[in-house]
Amino acid sequence: MTGDNGGGRAVPGEAAVRVLVVEDDPVAADAHALYVGRVPGFTAVGAVHSLAEAARVLERTPVDLLLLDLTLPDGHGLRFARGLRAAGHPVDVIVVTSARDLAVVRESVSLGVVQYVLKPFAFPTLRERLLRYAEYRAAAGAGEAAGQDDVDRALAALRAPRPAALPKGLSAPTLDRVCALLRAAPDGLTSAGAAEAAGMSRITARRYLEHLVDTGRAVRAPRYGQVGRPELTYRWVPEAGSVSKV
């Protein structure tokens, strides 16, 4: 188990939400714990790599939320969650997995899992889900509901937002194509290289590449050649969990 990762800044007067990361891949586990620590109002109490370790931490450490992988060396995460529910443990669960089977999603919902996050993901995705969980936690912990509106408001906090609209002139299929090209280029791509590979103008390619930089999915750096001005090279940002198993 890793040590305390510091954690996000709690809202004044409120305790930080204590999060335990349960993930078999050590690199991904540490990345997820660091991500948690960057979200205001959250603190990572540690990261463990098996269900047995998770159970030991829960016995001795107050934990509000699990970031729970599904395939662990000693069992399946949902069976662990079911056991926690049967024992009356109040910890909430966000599943973090590569499993796309909707039957698994339905079982997760039946066990009260509050969010289901697919790997690979970048920091903004986890941040958004954690902040939504914080809204839900605040609304659901405010005592008795005055009416249906209060109930609806608490449940609505967990619903994923609609995907953000792309800037004018950009299309989702073309963006997906540029993303695929960038992922497949470990040394990065210039706007000219992306334009040639995608069959578009250099100006258009640069717009897509800059959008990826703006949304945190790519970084840019100058590439210095023999003569002339350096050319910008764009590289895909590795996503947390991308090397993890389900």
Side-chain angles (χ1 to χ4, degrees), residues 170-212:
L170 302 189
S171 72
T174 303
L175 181 62
D176 289 343
R177 188 160 75 253
V178 174
C179 287
L181 290 170
L182 211 54
R183 285 194 190 98
D187 295 328
L189 286 173
T190 63
S191 56
E196 182 179 358
M200 63 180 68
S201 72
R202 183 172 178 172
I203 293 175
T204 299
R206 175 166 289 185
R207 287 195 64 203
Y208 282 95
L209 292 167
E210 288 294 329
H211 173 72
L212 292 175

Side-chain angles (χ1 to χ4, degrees), residues 15-86:
V17 177
R18 297 159 296 193
V19 182
L20 176 64
V21 175
V22 187
E23 162 65 58
D24 69 326
D25 183 274
V27 174
D30 288 344
H32 297 169
L34 288 172
Y35 278 3
V36 169
R38 291 171 59 189
V39 180
F42 288 82
T43 184
V45 300
V48 297
H49 312 307
S50 70
L51 298 177
E53 290 179 279
R56 287 194 291 270
V57 173
L58 289 173
E59 286 177 359
R60 65 175 185 263
T61 305
V63 176
D64 303 306
L65 178 66
L66 293 181
L67 288 191
L68 182 63
D69 193 9
L70 292 188
T71 301
L72 283 302
D74 51 350
H76 196 279
L78 288 186
R79 285 195 291 273
F80 183 71
R82 188 180 298 108
L84 291 175
R85 293 290 172 260

